């Protein structure tokens, strides 16, 4: 996810420039930098087959094999997928091991392992975009069906012959959040009902091992399901004797949501994943990354886990 945000930001900034400047003017910031191998591995405890491992490398900003000196404003979106393919190490050997049972889950390279959306608005005041495009990127996906044991620890193994590295890391999954059915919330099965024009709040309980959350909200336009909003949240301690061993989380559904059907997902992130996204330290810092190579050196990236709760939201 950090990779995609970085690429989008970089490409957007480049295409927005009105004055041509040479990248060599900033060479003091990158001339001694050497590209590094990076691994981002996500164990999905709720939908294990959605687990994803990405193995790629960082780049120098003056890498002419990646960045051309041609203004590609009309095709920058295609450039994201092209750059992603060039950076990926699709030849790595990847697996995740259940340390309690000894079961090893092999992962295989898939060209369209996951995707993200880029939306377009004609009316900037509308909460729903007029259209969107979906971009796919490659990664490693589970080769065989498996289930995640919340009481087990898991170990990632990545062998990259291209970089001469054997990388390992361990992480523990977290259980999904438990929604609280408060008086102002109508909750029927997988559907929540809220009143149009009000600022509605949703609360939930989570295990203390889940220290932050990632919440996404989707709506529908003629082209299909589209991302409206995504945001992070943090757990709060509670002294309620009815909920020992739990923390409290919440999110707001803004009052400007129009009447209709929406979908939202709450991902509870484990401590490893939370630290990776919240910390201001470099992503290869030993206090951020839990990845280590065969010599015990920290590797850029993370091996973390999350669990999800998906619900339908009706505004009426």
């Amino acid at each position: 996810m950090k990779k995609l945000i970085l690429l989008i930001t970089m490409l957007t900034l480049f295409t927005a420039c009105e004055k041509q400047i040479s990248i060599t003017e900033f060479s003091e910031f990158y001339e001694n930098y050497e590209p590094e191998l990076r691994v981002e591995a996500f164990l999905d405890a709720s939908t294990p087959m959605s687990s994803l491992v990405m193995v790629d490398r960082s780049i120098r900003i003056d890498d002419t094999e990646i960045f051309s000196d041609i203004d590609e404003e009309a095709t920058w979106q295609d450039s994201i997928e092209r750059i992603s393919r060039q950076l990926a190490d699709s030849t790595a050997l990847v697996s995740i091991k259940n340390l309690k049972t000894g079961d090893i889950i092999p992962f295989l390279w898939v060209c369209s392992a996951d995707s993200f959306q880029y939306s377009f608005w004609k009316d900037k005041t509308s909460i729903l975009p007029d259209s969107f495009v979906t971009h796919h990127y490659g990664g490693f996906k589970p080769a065989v069906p498996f289930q995640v044991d919340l009481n087990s620890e898991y170990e990632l193994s990545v062998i990259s012959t291209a970089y001469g590295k054997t990388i390992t890391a361990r992480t523990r999954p977290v259980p999904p959040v438990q929604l609280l059915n408060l008086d102002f919330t109508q909750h029927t099965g997988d559907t929540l009902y809220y009143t149009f024009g009000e600022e509605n709040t949703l609360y939930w309980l989570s295990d203390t091992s889940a220290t932050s959350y990632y919440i996404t909200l989707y709506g529908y336009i003629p082209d299909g399901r589209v991302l409206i909003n995504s945001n992070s949240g943090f757990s709060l301690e509670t002294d309620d004797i009815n909920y020992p061993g739990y923390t409290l989380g919440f999110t707001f559904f803004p009052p400007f949501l129009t009447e209709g059907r929406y979908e939202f997902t709450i991902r509870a992130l484990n401590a490893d994943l939370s630290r990776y996204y919240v910390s201001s330290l470099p992503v290869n810092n030993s206090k951020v990354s839990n990845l280590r190579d065969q010599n015990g050196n920290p590797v850029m990236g993370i091996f973390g886990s999350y669990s999800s709760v998906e619900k339908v939201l009706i505004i009426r």
Side-chain angles (χ1 to χ4, degrees), residues 178-182 204-206 208 236-248:
Q178 301 177 35
L179 300 184
L180 292 177
N181 191 11
L182 301 179
W204 60 80
L205 295 173
S206 64
T208 54
L236 304 173
E237 293 185 2
T238 175
D239 56 3
D240 194 321
I241 60 173
N242 296 312
Y243 307 117
Y246 289 94
T247 55
L248 181 69

Side-chain angles (χ1 to χ4, degrees), residues 87-128:
L87 298 181
D89 179 7
S90 60
T91 64
L93 299 177
V94 178
S95 64
I96 291 179
K97 182 179 182 179
N98 182 325
L99 293 179
K100 185 167 72 173
T101 65
D103 294 338
I104 297 176
I105 303 97
F107 279 59
L108 296 179
W109 173 262
V110 179
C111 292
S112 297
D114 208 346
S115 64
F116 69 97
Q117 291 181 346
Y118 190 83
S119 301
F120 303 91
W121 278 263
K122 294 179 181 177
D123 181 1
K124 297 298 183 180
T125 64
S126 173
I127 190 172
L128 289 172

Side-chain angles (χ1 to χ4, degrees), residues 17-18 21 26 55 114 135 139 190 227 255 267 290:
C17 290
E18 295 181 359
I21 58 176
F26 307 97
V55 183
D114 208 346
H135 293 287
D190 289 331
L227 178 66
R267 287 181 173 176
N290 58 356

Side-chain angles (χ1 to χ4, degrees), residues 184 186 193-200 253-255 257 259 314-316:
F184 55 84
Q186 297 184 46
Y193 297 88
Y194 285 104
T195 303
F196 172 67
E198 295 184 1
E199 187 174 88
N200 298 290
F253 294 118
L257 282 180
E259 294 178 281
I314 303 294
I315 303 291
R316 59 184 183 181

Side-chain angles (χ1 to χ4, degrees), residues 37-48:
L37 185 67
R38 188 191 65 164
V39 176
E40 286 188 332
F42 309 102
L43 178 65
D44 188 333
S46 301
T47 312

Side-chain angles (χ1 to χ4, degrees), residues 159-212:
I159 302 175
S160 173
T161 55
Y163 289 88
K165 286 185 177 292
T166 298
I167 300 165
T168 57
R170 294 183 178 185
T171 200
R172 285 187 174 275
V174 293
V177 303
Q178 301 177 35
L179 300 184
L180 292 177
N181 191 11
L182 301 179
D183 293 339
F184 55 84
T185 304
Q186 297 184 46
H187 185 189
T188 305
D190 289 331
T191 304
L192 280 72
Y193 297 88
Y194 285 104
T195 303
F196 172 67
E198 295 184 1
E199 187 174 88
N200 298 290
T201 307
L202 177 66
Y203 295 91
W204 60 80
L205 295 173
S206 64
D207 188 89
T208 54
S209 59
T211 57
S212 65

Side-chain angles (χ1 to χ4, degrees), residues 41-288:
F42 309 102
L43 178 65
D44 188 333
S46 301
T47 312
M49 295 305 289
S50 295
S51 300
L52 173 68
V53 179
M54 295 182 292
V55 183
D56 52 29
R57 64 179 173 89
S58 61
I59 53 176
R60 289 172 58 105
I61 197 66
D62 63 340
D63 189 333
T64 56
E65 292 184 4
I66 301 298
F67 299 110
S68 70
D69 57 355
I70 301 174
D71 183 2
E72 297 181 340
E73 182 171 357
T75 59
W76 74 266
Q77 297 171 46
D78 294 330
S79 298
I80 294 175
E81 295 188 14
R82 175 180 59 81
I83 292 173
S84 179
R85 290 193 298 270
Q86 288 180 273
L87 298 181
D89 179 7
S90 60
T91 64
L93 299 177
V94 178
S95 64
I96 291 179
K97 182 179 182 179
N98 182 325
L99 293 179
K100 185 167 72 173
T101 65
D103 294 338
I104 297 176
I105 303 97
F107 279 59
L108 296 179
W109 173 262
V110 179
C111 292
S112 297
D114 208 346
S115 64
F116 69 97
Q117 291 181 346
Y118 190 83
S119 301
F120 303 91
W121 278 263
K122 294 179 181 177
D123 181 1
K124 297 298 183 180
T125 64
S126 173
I127 190 172
L128 289 172
D130 296 284
S131 62
F132 65 90
V133 293
T134 301
H135 293 287
H136 294 85
Y137 54 93
F140 293 86
K141 302 288 288 182
V144 296
F146 74 104
Q147 297 297 318
V148 173
D149 182 355
L150 296 177
N151 297 312
S152 180
E153 187 176 27
Y154 287 80
E155 183 177 67
L156 171 74
S157 172
V158 176
I159 302 175
S160 173
T161 55
Y163 289 88
K165 286 185 177 292
T166 298
I167 300 165
T168 57
R170 294 183 178 185
T171 200
R172 285 187 174 275
V174 293
V177 303
Q178 301 177 35
L179 300 184
L180 292 177
N181 191 11
L182 301 179
D183 293 339
F184 55 84
T185 304
Q186 297 184 46
H187 185 189
T188 305
D190 289 331
T191 304
L192 280 72
Y193 297 88
Y194 285 104
T195 303
F196 172 67
E198 295 184 1
E199 187 174 88
N200 298 290
T201 307
L202 177 66
Y203 295 91
W204 60 80
L205 295 173
S206 64
D207 188 89
T208 54
S209 59
T211 57
S212 65
Y213 317 99
Y214 186 70
I215 303 107
T216 53
L217 179 66
Y218 289 86
Y220 286 88
I221 62 175
D223 289 347
R225 182 173 179 261
V226 61
L227 178 66
I228 296 175
N229 184 51
S230 61
N231 63 278
S232 300
F234 299 93
S235 59
L236 304 173
E237 293 185 2
T238 175
D239 56 3
D240 194 321
I241 60 173
N242 296 312
Y243 307 117
Y246 289 94
T247 55
L248 181 69
F250 66 93
T251 190
F252 296 101
F253 294 118
F256 52 79
L257 282 180
T258 57
E259 294 178 281
R261 182 179 186 272
Y262 303 87
E263 295 179 8
F264 70 91
T265 301
I266 303 170
R267 287 181 173 176
L269 311 183
N270 75 347
D272 293 319
L273 211 51
S274 296
R275 183 176 64 251
Y276 184 63
Y277 285 113
V278 173
S279 176
S280 59
L281 294 172
V283 291
N284 59 353
N285 187 284
S286 61
K287 295 181 179 180
V288 176

